[in-house]
């Protein structure tokens, strides 16, 4: 299973509980699928295999990013367990409430010292208004990535997953993602090694819907739905 598929499950699958907002699917999905099936032979084969399945998102930005930090470098099962313990600590999962938590209690929930530091920094960024959350809709992808990678524990890959799964940006191509590279190798190059340059060349036919094509590449590796 590709890293993106595993990680997205870490932060999404049955993650946000019954009080979470309803799942939402981007309005561009049908048009994107038509375009991809017309322009790309692999997409023409892949997309019909998954019926009406589509990218979906729910939750809020802070919770989504916090879960991505908790789930780093551990298994899906472990991430879920640690998240449930951590999420039970604050009254509600809000930045200000996280900042009131005791470090010892966070460590007792199963978080490493480094992840505690990352979560506190994330909460500080949100609580202090360092992130232009209300402006994200009008900002381009690279500007949002620049804001997010300024937070300790969030690199470009995590920021790109956030763009795809939370903000549902249509044209993100996460070239650092192992799952995407492996999927391109299997679907376009008969399993031969693929370079970032090869991947970019394949993705030329996907524009302006690289996020959608990437999602179907992940599904070709793991047929279970991917959410965030």
């Amino acid at each position: 299973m590709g890293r993106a598929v595993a990680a997205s499950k870490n932060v999404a699958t049955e993650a946000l509980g019954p009080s979470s907002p309803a799942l939402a699917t981007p309005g561009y999905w049908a048009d994107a699928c038509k375009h991809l099936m017309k322009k790309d032979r692999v997409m023409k084969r892949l997309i019909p295999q998954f019926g009406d399945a589509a990218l979906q998102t729910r939750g809020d930005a802070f919770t989504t990013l916090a879960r991505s930090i908790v789930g780093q470098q551990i298994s899906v099962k472990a991430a879920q367990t640690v998240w449930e313990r951590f999420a039970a600590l604050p009254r509600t999962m809000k930045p200000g409430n996280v900042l009131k938590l005791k470090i010892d209690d966070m460590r007792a929930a199963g978080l490493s010292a480094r992840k505690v530091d990352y979560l506190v920094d994330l909460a500080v960024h949100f609580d202090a208004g360092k992130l232009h959350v209300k402006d994200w809709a009008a900002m381009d992808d690279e500007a949002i990535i620049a804001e997010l990678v300024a937070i300790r524990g969030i690199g470009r890959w995590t920021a790109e997953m956030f763009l795809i799964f939370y903000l549902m940006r249509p044209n993100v191509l996460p070239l650092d993602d192992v799952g995407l590279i492996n999927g391109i190798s299997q679907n376009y190059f008969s399993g031969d090694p693929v370079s970032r340059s090869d991947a970019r060349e394949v993705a030329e036919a996907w524009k302006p819907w690289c996020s959608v094509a990437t999602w179907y590449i992940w599904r070709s590796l793991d047929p279970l739905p991917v959410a965030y």
Side-chain angles (χ1 to χ4, degrees):
M1 178 164 57
R3 182 174 64 165
V5 180
S8 63
K9 287 177 182 174
N10 273 354
V11 298
T13 306
E14 299 179 358
L16 300 173
S19 61
S20 301
L23 289 166
T25 296
Y28 58 71
W29 199 262
D31 288 340
C33 288
K34 290 178 183 177
H35 173 92
L36 291 168
M37 290 176 67
K38 181 179 179 181
K39 296 289 186 179
D40 187 281
R41 59 178 176 79
V42 171
M43 290 296 138
K44 186 176 182 179
R45 170 176 57 83
L46 280 183
I47 290 173
Q49 294 180 20
F50 299 103
D52 295 329
L55 172 68
Q56 295 180 319
T57 188
R58 61 181 171 181
D60 62 27
F62 177 74
T63 300
T64 299
L65 290 167
R67 287 192 64 89
S68 73
I69 289 172
V70 170
Q72 289 174 0
Q73 298 179 332
I74 58 178
S75 70
V76 174
K77 184 177 181 181
Q80 183 66 21
T81 298
V82 174
W83 174 258
E84 289 173 355
R85 292 173 180 169
F86 169 62
L89 296 177
R91 184 165 51 87
T92 56
M93 188 53 66
K94 302 294 183 183
N97 291 339
V98 170
L99 291 174
K100 295 175 184 176
L101 297 177
K102 295 179 180 179
I103 291 177
D104 287 347
D105 290 341
M106 296 173 73
R107 291 297 308 278
L111 293 164
S112 67
R114 179 172 292 181
K115 287 185 180 179
V116 169
D117 180 55
Y118 292 166
L119 287 165
V120 169
D121 194 49
L122 175 70
V124 167
H125 273 77
F126 271 87
D127 194 59
K130 295 181 180 181
L131 302 172
H132 299 86
V133 178
K134 293 181 179 179
D135 298 325
W136 280 347
M139 291 168 61
D140 65 32
D141 293 350
E142 289 300 324
I144 297 171
I145 288 173
E147 283 202 349
L148 293 176
V149 298
I151 302 167
R152 289 198 291 275
I154 295 181
R156 184 177 180 88
W157 178 83
T158 299
E160 287 173 336
M161 295 303 102
F162 183 78
L163 287 177
I164 294 173
F165 286 102
Y166 179 75
L167 294 177
M168 296 192 291
R169 291 297 176 94
N171 198 36
V172 180
L173 184 67
L175 291 172
D176 292 327
D177 185 77
V178 175
L180 173 63
I181 299 301
N182 287 344
I184 289 175
S185 170
Q186 291 184 25
N187 286 286
Y188 292 86
F189 294 89
S190 302
D192 291 339
V194 171
S195 67
R196 292 167 66 95
S197 178
D198 293 331
R200 285 194 189 94
E201 186 174 342
V202 167
E204 279 299 313
W206 299 350
K207 293 178 180 179
W209 309 112
C210 287
S211 299
V212 181
T214 296
W215 189 86
Y216 280 106
I217 291 294
W218 288 331
R219 291 296 299 274
S220 75
L221 300 176
D222 186 337
L224 294 175
V226 180
Y228 200 79

